[in-house]
Amino acid sequence: MNAVVIAIAVMFILSLARVSVVLTLVISAIIGGLVAGLSLSDTVEAFNAGLGDGAEVALAYAVLGAFALALSKSGLPDLLAHKLIGLLGLEATQKQAKKVKFLLLFILLIAAICSQNVIPVHIAFIPVLVPPLLKVMNHLKLDRRAAACVLTLGLVGTYIFLPVGFGAIFLEQILMGNINKIGAAYNLHVDRGMMPMGMAIPVLGMVIGTIFAVFVSYRKPRIYIDRNVTPVTTIDLDKPLRAIDPDVIKADGIELEKEAEQAPKVAKKTILMALLAIVLTLIAQLYSGSMILGGLVGFSVLSAAGIFKWQEADDVFVQGMRMMALVGFIMISAAGFASVMTHTGDINQLVNGVVHLIGDNKALAAFLMLFIGLFVTIGIGSSFSSVPVLAVIYVPLCVQFGFSPLATVALIGTAAALGDAGSPASDSTLGPTAGLGVDGQHDHIWDTVVPTFIHFNIPLLIFGWIAAMVL
């Protein structure tokens, strides 16, 4: 059997068994390499060779984590949380609670969208903004799986559609750049205007999947234990637990009103300096193309503005990096896994084997290209890393089967997005878990990966196929 298929299957089984994601990636990579005929030493060497590819991304997330934590010192995330708590407490009827629920989900969506362009911190905002809102979610009895889907839509759907910030990197530098580079030998050329047009239909599929998740799959109330948590990572296991009684909503409303009165007072100067830091971070990131430099500029501005004491700068920076450490290690491990899969040579074998089965059936070709892309990219876990691997194989296939340039963009872009939308090793699933699971009541695999896989990967396969056939 194909080594890539076996490695992905092992990764799925271990992930569903709740084995550590980093350990899962290492074990899967070794098994895939051995099945492909590589020796253990060659497999390890290939894995080590790929680690460097994930180091830059991991460092970028660490720095952005430090910036996000420094921004939280301004009190803005807590202020937003207390405003929502007060709104729920004052309007404690079922009807008003439903409005607050949708308002909260809308805020999470807007925050996720802005994290890709306006404030380019990617997933680093989630462990800072979401934990203070968990008590609100608990009293709303909001199913956190719906929140995970909303966050992932904002993260993935934004950069695969809007050519700004991270979207400019993905759509123009990576997707368009690789298609034009490889397509030059086949007289295939795409321009910037084609990128959003080619990805519009697949993104529509993600939107429909999210609507289905919020209004159908996870619309019923889900009871969580109320627990005080810090905005970052620590959980005090000695804190008393209090189950939420759905029959005492008025009492909960009174309690929330009292908590809302304790909202932090944020000085106008602090707000202005925080906004300045955000603007300068965006400018630095866009000018240099470096998320690392952007994060450092933002952190420096907040530090110089006195948002926190100068003596505390090192502690804040280290805590922020620690907040994103697990994500960084997983991204590095995913790069090693991808390197082993590439060294096996079985990706080409998998694609070529399918080509012989397809014949001249264009519709079947589009579906199988997306389906194979799902297997390849879900193991790599990053659409940014998947495009160069897929483009080498898919551009010649698209030309051979007569797909238009727009259809080629849709096929390769959608196949890459499948890796981010439902992979255990994707930062777009790890990020929501980092915020929603801070109190230990949200499992990464069953509450983030499985819901996003069902509500995003299935629509992406369907709408990506439709885009390939109509464009």
Side-chain angles (χ1 to χ4, degrees), residues 23-290:
L23 185 59
T24 293
L25 288 168
V26 175
I27 294 174
S28 302
I30 292 175
I31 291 176
L34 295 177
V35 170
L38 298 177
S39 66
L40 180 60
S41 59
D42 289 339
T43 302
V44 173
E45 183 178 348
F47 187 88
N48 291 337
L51 296 181
D53 295 334
E56 181 180 354
V57 177
L59 180 58
Y61 288 153
V63 173
L64 291 174
F67 169 60
L69 181 59
L71 190 61
S72 74
K73 294 291 184 179
S74 67
L76 294 180
D78 281 333
L79 182 62
L80 173 61
H82 279 83
K83 291 294 183 183
L84 285 172
I85 289 172
L87 181 59
L88 176 60
L90 293 171
E91 308 288 356
T93 66
Q94 273 312 108
K95 185 176 179 180
Q96 293 296 339
K98 184 176 292 187
K99 290 182 179 179
V100 177
K101 170 184 173 181
F102 292 125
L103 174 62
L104 176 57
L105 291 175
F106 180 73
I107 289 174
L108 293 178
L109 176 62
I110 294 300
I113 291 174
C114 292
S115 72
Q116 304 304 298
N117 37 62
V118 180
I119 312 172
V121 296
H122 195 37
I123 63 172
F125 80 96
I126 298 176
V128 175
L129 176 63
V130 173
L133 299 176
L134 290 182
K135 181 169 286 190
V136 183
M137 296 183 188
N138 291 346
H139 285 263
L140 290 170
K141 295 179 280 294
L142 170 64
D143 194 325
R144 297 184 192 178
R145 292 173 294 183
C149 290
V150 169
L151 285 168
T152 303
L153 171 67
L155 295 170
V156 180
T158 301
Y159 77 75
I160 67 173
F161 179 63
L162 297 178
V164 182
F166 286 100
I169 298 173
F170 176 76
L171 292 174
E172 297 178 2
Q173 296 182 22
I174 298 180
L175 184 57
M176 184 181 73
N178 278 277
I179 291 176
N180 287 337
K181 178 182 178 181
I182 299 166
Y186 304 92
N187 294 321
L188 173 65
H189 179 79
V190 295
D191 56 44
R192 286 182 171 85
M194 292 181 179
M195 298 297 105
M197 294 173 59
M199 296 305 297
I201 295 178
V203 171
L204 176 62
M206 292 188 68
V207 173
I208 293 175
T210 304
I211 292 174
F212 191 86
V214 172
F215 291 97
V216 180
S217 300
Y218 309 124
R219 63 182 174 82
K220 294 182 179 180
R222 195 179 190 190
I223 305 301
Y224 294 90
I225 294 173
D226 216 4
R227 149 177 270 173
N228 292 325
V229 294
T230 62
V232 188
T233 55
T234 59
I235 302 174
D236 187 351
L237 297 178
D238 295 327
K239 291 285 184 180
L241 305 182
R242 183 177 65 83
I244 302 173
D245 186 348
D247 296 327
V248 292
I249 188 169
K250 291 185 178 180
D252 283 341
I254 295 173
E255 179 183 328
L256 289 176
E257 286 181 39
K258 291 180 179 179
E259 184 161 330
E261 294 174 358
Q262 301 174 3
K265 294 182 180 180
V266 182
K268 291 184 178 180
K269 176 187 175 182
T270 301
I271 295 177
L272 290 175
M273 294 309 298
L275 293 175
L276 177 63
I278 291 171
V279 171
L280 292 179
T281 297
L282 177 60
I283 293 174
Q285 191 267 331
L286 293 177
Y287 180 77
S288 65
S290 170

Side-chain angles (χ1 to χ4, degrees), residues 299 303 308-317:
F299 184 88
S303 178
F308 49 88
K309 296 180 180 179
W310 180 256
Q311 296 90 332
E312 299 175 352
D314 185 59
D315 288 338
V316 173
F317 196 86

